[in-house]
Amino acid sequence: MKWTLHNPIAFTPLPVTIITSTVYLGLLIAILVIHLVVPSAPHDAVPVRGINVSEAWGDLQFLTNGFHPYNSHRNDIVRDWLLRRIDTILKNNKASNATTSLNDFSVHGYRPAVQYAERAAVFNDINSNVTFASGNLSVYFEGTNIMVYVRGLEDEEGAWWTSHTKVKGAGGVLVNAHYDSVSTGYGATDDGVGVVTILQLIKYFTTPGNQPKKGMVALLNNGEEDFLNGAYAFCAHPLAKSQFLRTFLNLEGAGAGGRATLFRSTDTEVSKFYAGSKHPFGTVVSGDGFKAGFVRSQTDYIVFNGILGLRGLDVAFMEPRGRYHTDQDSMRYTTIDSLWHMLSAALSTMKSLTADTSSTFKNETPRKGEEKVSKHSGSEAVWFDLFGSVFLVFQLHTLFALSVTLLVVGPVVLVLISFLLFRVDKLYLFSSSKHHHHAEGDDSVGLQGWRGFFRFPITFVAASAGTVGLAFLLTKFNPFIVYSSPYAVWSMMLSAWLFVAWFVSRAADSVRPTAFHRAYSLLWMFFGGWVVLVLVTVSEERFHLAAGYFMVFYFAGAFLATTISFLELFGLARKAQYADEVEGNILGQDETPGSPRPESVSSSRNPTRSGDGQTHEAVDDEDGHENEPTENTSLLRGRVASTFANYTSRSHIGKPPEAEEVLDDPKRGRVFGYEQPWSWCLPSWAWLIQFLLLAPFTVILIGQIGLYFMSATYQTLADGNSAFTVYIVFAIVSLLILAPLGPFLHRYTYHIPMFLLCVFAGTLIYNLLAFPFSPNNRLKLYFIQRVNLDSGINQVSLTGVKGSYLGEVISSLPSTAGQPWTCADNNLKLGLTECGWRGIPPRVVPATHPEVPPFYGYVDWLTYNITRNGHEALIHVEGANTRACKIQFNRAVSDVRILGADEASPSRRVPEDGSREVRLWSRNWGKAWDVHVEWEVSGGDDDGGGLDGRIVCLWNDENKRSTIPALEEIRRFAPDWVAITKLSDGPYFYYVPSSFIVASSTFVKLTNVAQSYLDSLYTQLPTQLQSLIPRPSPTPPPAVSSLPPPLLALLSYCPAAITPTVVLATLAPVIILLFTMSTWRSYMGGRFSPFGAARSPPTVSEDDYHYLGPDDIVDPPRSHIPNSTSSYFPSSRHLSAFRADDTAPDILILKVKGTIYPLHFPAYSIGEGHLRVGDLRKSAAKKIDVGIDPRRLKLLYKGKTLKDDAVACREEGLKQNSELLCVITEGPINGRGDEDSSESASEGEMLREANSGVRIDVDGMIGGGPKKARKGHRGGKKKRRDEAGVYGGSGTNTEGRNSPMPNSGMPQPPAHAPPQQQPQQPRPKSPMDKLNELSSTFHTKFVPQCIQFTSNPPSDAKTRDMEYKKLSETILAQIILKLDEVQTEGDDEARARRKALVRETQAMLSSLDAVVKK
């Protein structure tokens, strides 16, 4: 302590501990603060003339008021608002001129809407379209970009963009942001902040006095979230084709707040313009991440640089990733400080870029026929910031030169110094002893120069192994803890590494102290850094990666610190001199002549241990004779070595025996502990210089890179990234940060390491046991809903990380109760699992009536038509209420062309290996696309073979409530630690699988045979007859172009007098007859018709019947949805899938008072005659009402009353999907075929029931509302028109094409049945009357049944469950819902009465629930 007070920088424990800890703590705190705290926005709303921060914040509020993806109606609202906002800015700055317009000019067929003035021009792009290849697919996109050109002082005058010649001058600067968002995010930072920043840049540069030297083009593109469509559309604009632009600044968002970072840069020259920002932020590591493919997402940067050849910057937000593309990307989680950070950086960069008029970015002469702008490539850059205040930029070539220099110079310098030390006999390193020659012989003086050589690698490996082991441990037991607690992981790994390294170093130093611990540690760091730097240098040269720039500074620090350790040795005495001094002190002082000489001067005097535990040595008296032995004298006497001598007492551990004898007191005091005696000559302050060279700068660089990596990756585990990879990088960064402490840790006191041990224990327990997600760090799940428009199958799925989290979320949804879900690996998101279940039908296409279920209109959501000609096809696609569809093929097509599209595409339309998918985007809603595709001719197949595929349309607009109820349900009922985002193009896309077959090989062969046969017949006709029958065009009329190729071939040879319509009308009866015959039972077996040979009657039990509840009709099969004249039969294009399941139940349709009940019976029970009228009557009674007497039901089929219960339904003419009318009579009717009083129910009333409105009831009954007129069927039989006139009240068929229940599908009574009047039942006159009636029904009808069920429930679980469903769902339908329909109209008494009745009903339902749950 005394020496410490005299020298506060001595290499002793207290100064080392305090200084190193203070430096590290200060640096890490500063790095954390800079990383976490965004610089504050200025208090003044107008910090710069022309910039208003408050105004920008208000613009962001409007922009984020809803989801606005390209395929949404709000996107149009945002676009209109932007146009008005720009117009206001220009008018306020007097930069607009409404009287000057250039709407009439034309450039290559391009006619944009332009508002032009002397200082600015606004381009409202509603004409650009582009077809380009992206990956393995082709994209057609119609742009709706907005561009504002701000004229520069040195720009050409007039509308230079209309010229075909190259633009003169220094060129202009492009600044870009996209105003569309994803369908699940409000787009505050992606890319709302970028949009409002551009609005402020327009305002600044159009403000008088701020006009730039070089012109600026502000691009607000639409469609970036889908294949960067907006940027590709801009490439087709005259502003892009004119070669006016030289550089660009792209503003983007890949996070949801924080600082805006420089993502990547094209070159050094353009990066220097960003260095002028007041608060720069970024590192070249992110740019190399894109270059190496570690970052899979892309921005508009690649279009501007790759297609247009511009040089520029990509500035974006990057954290937190958990809010990216979710509803938390909103103003609530974005601050005005983040807005100002991007705005200030963009303003500084744009001012510098527009002010530069040098030839740095001058265009090169483009090659002939090359539309891509040719620019100087520039030099590859290295850039990084220091504390968010200083931005360093230099060339990659400079870094490479520096790396090579260090790799060569470092070893050479150390070798030269070592050689000089050897020459002057001061190379104590690697020297174990020094031979000493004297008159009596040669002796060896111990130097102990090798001691501590392997200490640092052992320490480093042990500490690093522990840290890597922690990475394995977290990956195994709690892999997602980093998602919400990254700093707890950092604390655990840093504290673990430092404690283990300290413990090993301190233990080794206690056992074998050495003055070379620091020198050897630095030397090992030099060797290790040299090897790593070789790899970094190779990556710089071969792969042009600069991410290892920190290793250059790391190695440079290690080299300089090691050099100082070598230079320290020059302060030591020569080894020979030290040996002489040792010899002289031991033998020359008080040595009696003739006394025996020890064997070696390096031998030890062996201590002895007394009985009190103290160490003693055998001591000679003043005469040189030994004292008489006593009880304390060692039995081994004087000079016999002891194996454990150095470990018996801490005061003598490792102590050189000659230390006390060689050194005088002042020198002995400068030797630390029991290190080598010669170390007293080493300077005690050199360690501080070594530490400052090695630690601070490298800690800053590695710490910033580590935090940057953490921000970019710690919440990407939800995307399927490996958790172990993230933890391993954490471990590597931890050891790189703390490795500079390795040479000094053996001097540390125990206080800080023991504190870190406690930190490690606490963080380890937390990291292993804590729940990894929270409301502020939500697990991201990917939503998608798929609807098969052919079958009506509706599937909702969530994709997320494997484990119990996904199942917990799905189990919390009400719609998944009682139904299973299936899970499988997701193909789009590798490493994630997708689980799907039957979901709630969407309402993305407006229905004809709000009460009509959406699945009744599926057939109208998507229409298409296909025409084939050889190995080419024309596909017509049209989607309802959408402007995004796609066509997927089973094989790659070689060419894709969209009719009416611009052929001058900036890139190729089809990938080199062909396109398997065509994406279609339109600026207009409900637009039809005509897509021409070609595919390669396969070997030996001249006609090109077949082409199968499916057509998909997408809907992304969720701004209206109940549009996507499945997504609303997840957001409402999922845990608060879950965030929902889109899976692919949109969260909802509905498709038709295998919806079309352009041509199969069979069709192709039949077509060729038919054509060749008709050609031969035509040539055999007489010449006179050939002149009368001219050969028609091989192209069929559009009306029949979708027919199979054989029919098209036949129709193409019809004479002009015989039109295709006549031929189709002639063939229609034949086709209908063939279809009818094909439905008969085949001798091969299988059920094709209800008529056929009778089988042995199957055994029918109660288990064969299934009660149809609400869950069964949420998504009814397509074959049970009445949406055409064929009622429950699918359209002709679905016949291949109809009746494929022989185990499907028989279904009869029962209509009672305007409500439809589907009745299910065992398979084949109707056709084989097993189902009797009595069975039908009982089933109808159970379906209509619980406890109703079946004898009260009167059933009619095609006007005939079904009277005899013993008659088979087949004999009455019933078959699959037959429709019956039912009337509930007052009393029982005779079921033996006799007439009774129940005949008083008139058939006219039944007819009115058949024609009444249709509705949806909660227990699964199907109905609908008013119907719209359907085109066609005007040429039907007269009998049907008469029936419609008599029974329908009109001679017009009012059946709707998409009506939920078409009247034409219902059986009609015979014409001779006169309508009869039926007295209508009185309705309650007041709300109280309605409530009393419902109360009476509940207490007299349902309460007794409920009491009976609760007191004596069925013992069989399945029967009990079925009865429970009947009672509960009937009560819901007939009591709860009807109570809800009662309007109290301000009557307090009625309101109280209704509330009491609701509570009573719910209590009864709860008692039923309790019985079932037992």
Side-chain angles (χ1 to χ4, degrees), residues 941-962:
D941 194 357
D942 295 336
D943 49 32
L947 182 65
D948 299 351
R950 66 180 181 183
I951 299 176
V952 180
C953 281
L954 301 91
W955 286 266
N956 306 75
D957 198 345
E958 200 218 345
N959 289 290
K960 290 185 178 180
R961 193 173 173 82
S962 300

Side-chain angles (χ1 to χ4, degrees), residues 11 20 37 142 189 368 720 745 787 1097 1182 1223:
F11 192 51
T20 57
V37 179
E142 296 178 357
T189 57
K368 186 176 181 180
L745 276 178
V787 175
K1182 290 182 179 180
V1223 172

Side-chain angles (χ1 to χ4, degrees), residues 787-791 862 864 866 886-890 947-952 990-999 1132-1137:
V787 175
N788 187 313
L789 301 183
D790 278 347
S791 64
L862 171 61
Y864 67 93
I866 304 169
K886 60 183 178 180
I887 308 173
Q888 298 173 334
F889 306 103
N890 68 329
L947 182 65
D948 299 351
R950 66 180 181 183
I951 299 176
V952 180
Y990 314 107
Y991 66 96
V992 182
S994 301
S995 60
F996 66 84
I997 301 177
V998 174
S1132 59
R1133 64 175 177 173
H1134 312 135
L1135 290 176
S1136 60

Side-chain angles (χ1 to χ4, degrees), residues 1345-1381:
Q1345 298 179 30
C1346 294
I1347 294 176
Q1348 180 180 359
F1349 178 80
T1350 54
S1351 60
N1352 188 21
S1355 58
D1356 180 63
K1358 187 173 183 179
T1359 304
R1360 181 170 62 251
D1361 185 65
M1362 182 180 68
E1363 294 298 329
Y1364 161 75
K1365 285 184 177 180
K1366 291 179 181 178
L1367 276 173
S1368 60
E1369 293 175 1
T1370 306
I1371 292 174
L1372 284 172
Q1374 298 193 15
I1375 303 298
I1376 295 294
L1377 292 183
K1378 291 183 179 180
L1379 283 173
D1380 186 62
E1381 294 175 357

Side-chain angles (χ1 to χ4, degrees), residues 255-257 319-324 326-330 332-334 480-487 714-715 766 771-780 975-979:
E319 63 170 335
R321 296 283 297 182
R323 292 172 181 167
Y324 177 56
T326 70
D327 56 358
Q328 283 191 350
D329 185 12
S330 61
R332 180 178 182 181
Y333 299 96
T334 304
F480 301 106
I481 186 61
V482 71
Y483 203 92
S484 61
S485 306
Y487 295 104
Y714 77 101
Q715 289 188 338
Y766 173 83
F771 187 72
F773 309 112
S774 66
N776 288 328
N777 299 278
R778 301 183 301 173
L779 172 64
K780 191 183 296 184
D976 58 359
W977 45 267
V978 169

Side-chain angles (χ1 to χ4, degrees), residues 397 645 838 1109:
H397 180 74
R838 187 181 60 194

